[in-house]
Amino acid sequence: MHTTPAPDVDITAIIPDLSEWRRITVRLHPRPGNPREVDSHIGGPVLDVEGSARPTCEEHPMDYEGRDVPRPMESVAQFFRRDFPEIPYPA
């Protein structure tokens, strides 16, 4: 696993107002591969949970023909809690 070193300078010591915006982040190091539905990955197949509907975009419900219909969101990345425990996932 790759790890990004800590910064040389604590920017919040220089600009204290930035402290309230501090969050845990995960820097990705993508590499070509052949991910499976059960792997964390960018691109490739996505695990669909049987019986659950695909999320839709509530903000832009129009389809490409101008009809007001729920537009399913396309998945571009899939990250599992087991691979990224430092990210606060929803319940």
Side-chain angles (χ1 to χ4, degrees), residues 42-83:
I42 298 172
V46 178
L47 180 64
D48 284 326
V49 178
E50 188 174 328
S52 66
R54 299 282 309 240
T56 57
C57 179
E58 303 296 329
E59 187 176 343
H60 304 98
M62 296 288 187
D63 69 5
Y64 294 109
E65 295 176 5
R67 296 175 295 196
D68 189 15
V69 296
R71 259 183 29 198
M73 296 177 83
E74 293 297 325
S75 300
V76 295
Q78 173 174 274
F79 302 115
F80 288 101
R81 182 180 286 134
R82 67 175 182 263
D83 298 324

